[in-house]
Amino acid sequence: MVPTADRPAARLLDVRMSRRRFLAGGMSAGAALALGACSDDDPGSEAPDDTGGDDAGGDDAGGNAGGTDGTGGDGVDTRVLLTRWATDPFALGSYSFLAVGASPDDRFALQAPVSGRVVLAGEHTDVDAPATTHGALASGRRAAGLLLDVGVQGPVIVIGAGLAGLGAARTLADAGVPVVVLEARDRIGGRLHTDTSLGVPIDLGASWIHGVDGNAIAELATAVGVPWAVTDLDDSVIFDRDGRAIDPAIAVAIGSVATEVLEDAIGRAEELDADVDLATMVDEVLDEWVDEGDLDAGTRALVLLELRRIVEHEFGADLDELSTWWGDEGDEIAGGEAIIPSGYAPLAEALATGLDIRLGSIVTEVVDDGARVIVTTAGDDAVEGGAVVVTLPLGVLQAGSVVFTPPLPEPHATAISRLGMGVLEKVAVVADERTWDTDTDLIGVTRDDGRFLEWLDLTDLVGTPVVIGFTAGTAARELADTSDDDLVDDALATLRSLRP
């Protein structure tokens, strides 16, 4: 049965695949399927594991960071930063995704006002651009518009000084409505976090502007005089488990098969009576192709690794978590994938100019007594207002660390429980010499444990040897059990193993 929600079943291939592809050029499916004879002993047959990057998806990613200095085994001085977004109490993840059983209707439910005094905002409430910075900004502006439409009387309390909160506060303030912004952290930005402690700006949260043509973030950057640079996601090299560069023709061929498998899996799922996870459908297609002799077992494994690399690092979630009906969503914006060399911080600062922002205000309760709202913080301080815009991340809402009185309505509570919160962690390496130089923007690494599978080389953009590695989904969550020192050692060993 075809899904019956207002929007047709979205296809992972339509938007996300175009953003995350390392593979350049094109090879026919027939040529790709001929790879079935490759053996695991042939280094050219090694396919990349689940490598990926920062979007929405992961646009809206980030976390607590720890820094470390040292000299690698190659004698090159390095400085390293790590993120811990999965355990950051003010994020509890990086950005949202549609899990099995969820749909865009859940995001629509979260857009609806809780009452005339309480509205929600955040990337998880945006349908057009979920899990992105421009989706977060749009959600805040939309929430502010809802309050303005009903003639809200200030002050309006905005919970959170990320892009959603700042967007809401800026819109209200510009309309003449008094605003108070309560931010739990000691800085603004939320899951935007530009760190300069290593001497260069490094975005530990959101990195990319996903499409610059008509993108609100690109327009904001232009308005405040912050330039961006388009990255070439096809300019890449992928290394096998032994640190050797994979033959580009092999990589392209495996990618071609992976694309067909994904398309077949999603097409089959649209005929089912119930949503299933993407892993189930992918396995069904791969098993059938092996049974029919179109793939051998070795190539099946390589194609699955490629699918995990493409998809899981896009969404911060595993194949077996993602909805096949609705796993991909939103509208693609043209104009390329852009990085802001100076970091996202100037954009947040521009939105925050002149606002009453109270840092270190950890909200514990939101009360709507029917005539006003009362927001209580961890210090038992209370702020009263005519309305409140709640921009708490989905992970925080799911944890229930903020009490709502009365409780959130059932449609809102159900939507919060059904949506997934993905995780994308980063390791940023600043060195006095670019030992990883591949003359490409992106570096793919093949590892079975899922760590540090994609690296973004920022050296040419910032003028200093800088590379950022990504880990997503379950592999990212498991980093919480690894010490900073061990993670740094592991990341640097991965870089040193590459032989361009």
Side-chain angles (χ1 to χ4, degrees):
M1 181 179 73
V2 177
T4 56
D6 291 338
R7 293 179 65 244
R11 290 180 175 271
L12 286 157
L13 292 170
D14 289 344
V15 178
R16 306 294 184 175
M17 291 282 287
S18 66
R19 297 179 181 175
R20 278 287 147 259
R21 296 300 300 276
F22 275 158
L23 308 174
M27 181 175 287
S28 69
L33 293 175
L35 288 168
C38 292
S39 72
D40 288 341
D41 293 330
D42 176 6
S45 70
E46 293 286 1
D49 202 337
D50 46 319
T51 357
D54 184 1
D55 177 70
D59 246 303
D60 224 19
N64 292 328
T68 229
D69 297 334
T71 301
D74 49 14
V76 176
D77 288 334
T78 59
R79 282 113 38 221
V80 181
L81 289 171
L82 300 169
T83 66
R84 298 285 191 178
W85 293 111
T87 54
D88 180 338
F90 306 132
L92 296 178
S94 300
Y95 43 85
S96 64
F97 66 91
L98 291 183
V100 178
S103 80
D105 287 343
D106 292 309
R107 301 197 191 278
F108 279 119
L110 294 178
Q111 290 180 11
V114 173
S115 70
R117 289 162 297 279
V118 180
V119 293
L120 304 183
E123 54 82 15
H124 52 286
T125 72
D126 194 74
V127 175
D128 295 330
T132 69
T133 52
H134 57 283
L137 180 59
S139 76
R141 291 172 171 172
R142 180 174 52 249
L146 289 173
L147 295 178
L148 292 173
D149 286 345
V150 298
V152 64
Q153 298 297 308
V156 173
I157 304 166
V158 176
I159 301 175
L163 276 181
L166 293 175
R170 180 81 273 147
T171 301
L172 291 164
D174 288 349
V177 177
V179 178
V180 174
V181 181
L182 303 180
E183 169 54 50
R185 303 179 191 275
D186 60 1
R187 60 172 179 80
I188 65 171
R191 283 168 285 169
L192 295 184
H193 186 193
T194 304
D195 188 290
T196 59
S197 64
L198 301 187
V200 293
I202 296 174
D203 275 323
L204 296 175
S207 294
W208 272 283
I209 302 175
H210 291 300
V212 296
D213 294 347
N215 187 314
I217 294 295
E219 292 170 353
L220 176 61
T222 298
V224 300
V226 175
W228 67 76
V230 174
T231 56
D232 184 357
L233 299 185
D234 289 327
D235 180 22
S236 64
V237 63
I238 305 173
F239 293 88
D240 66 18
R241 292 178 180 85
D242 296 321
R244 293 172 292 191
I246 295 174
D247 183 338
I250 298 292
V252 170
I254 293 296
S256 296
V257 180
T259 298
E260 288 201 22
V261 169
L262 188 56
E263 186 174 37
D264 193 353
I266 294 171
R268 295 184 187 202
E270 291 175 357
E271 302 304 319
L272 299 178
D273 291 333
D275 192 11
V276 296
D277 65 88
L278 184 57
T280 294
M281 298 310 301
V282 165
D283 284 342
E284 177 181 306
V285 174
L286 287 172
D287 288 345
E288 182 178 304
W289 288 17
V290 169
D291 290 344
E292 294 176 351
D294 293 325
L295 291 177
D296 67 11
T299 305
R300 181 196 191 283
L302 299 180
V303 171
L304 182 58
L305 289 175
E306 174 70 359
L307 281 169
R308 292 188 59 217
R309 179 186 68 77
I310 293 171
V311 176
E312 294 183 351
H313 277 248
E314 176 66 18
F315 295 93
D318 299 345
L319 293 178
D320 61 8
E321 296 177 297
L322 287 163
S323 162
T324 309
W325 276 358
W326 303 106
D328 188 32
E329 51 181 333
D331 299 326
E332 184 175 14
I333 297 178
E337 303 290 306
I339 293 286
I340 304 175
S342 61
Y344 256 101
L347 276 61
E349 293 164 359
L351 291 171
T353 301
L355 297 177
D356 179 1
I357 300 177
R358 305 177 188 182
L359 302 177
S361 299
I362 302 173
V363 171
T364 57
E365 186 176 18
V366 177
V367 176
D368 177 0
D369 70 3
R372 58 180 180 166
V373 293
I374 306 162
V375 178
T376 305
T377 66
D380 289 329
D381 294 325
V383 181
E384 296 186 15
V388 60
V389 179
V390 179
T391 72
L392 297 169
L394 175 65
V396 175
L397 290 172
Q398 290 175 333
S401 53
V402 176
V403 176
F404 289 85
T405 305
L408 292 175
E410 187 278 333
H412 294 75
T414 298
I416 288 168
S417 68
R418 278 202 292 237
L419 292 171
M421 188 62 166
V423 180
L424 185 74
E425 301 288 13
K426 297 183 179 183
V427 54
V429 179
V430 180
D432 61 2
E433 180 182 341
R434 183 161 63 172
T435 59
W436 58 83
D437 189 8
T438 61
D439 293 323
T440 62
D441 287 350
L442 290 170
I443 302 168
V445 177
T446 302
R447 286 181 54 152
D448 292 325
D449 63 6
R451 291 184 179 181
F452 313 127
L453 297 177
E454 181 181 75
W455 296 78
L456 172 67
D457 190 348
L458 296 176
T459 305
D460 293 337
L461 291 179
V462 301
T464 298
V466 178
V467 66
I468 298 183
F470 303 93
T471 303
T474 295
R477 297 184 191 100
E478 291 174 346
L479 297 185
D481 298 323
T482 306
S483 70
D484 285 357
D485 287 344
D486 286 345
L487 278 179
V488 169
D489 289 345
D490 193 4
L492 294 180
T494 299
L495 281 179
R496 289 194 295 268
S497 72
L498 308 182
R499 300 194 291 277

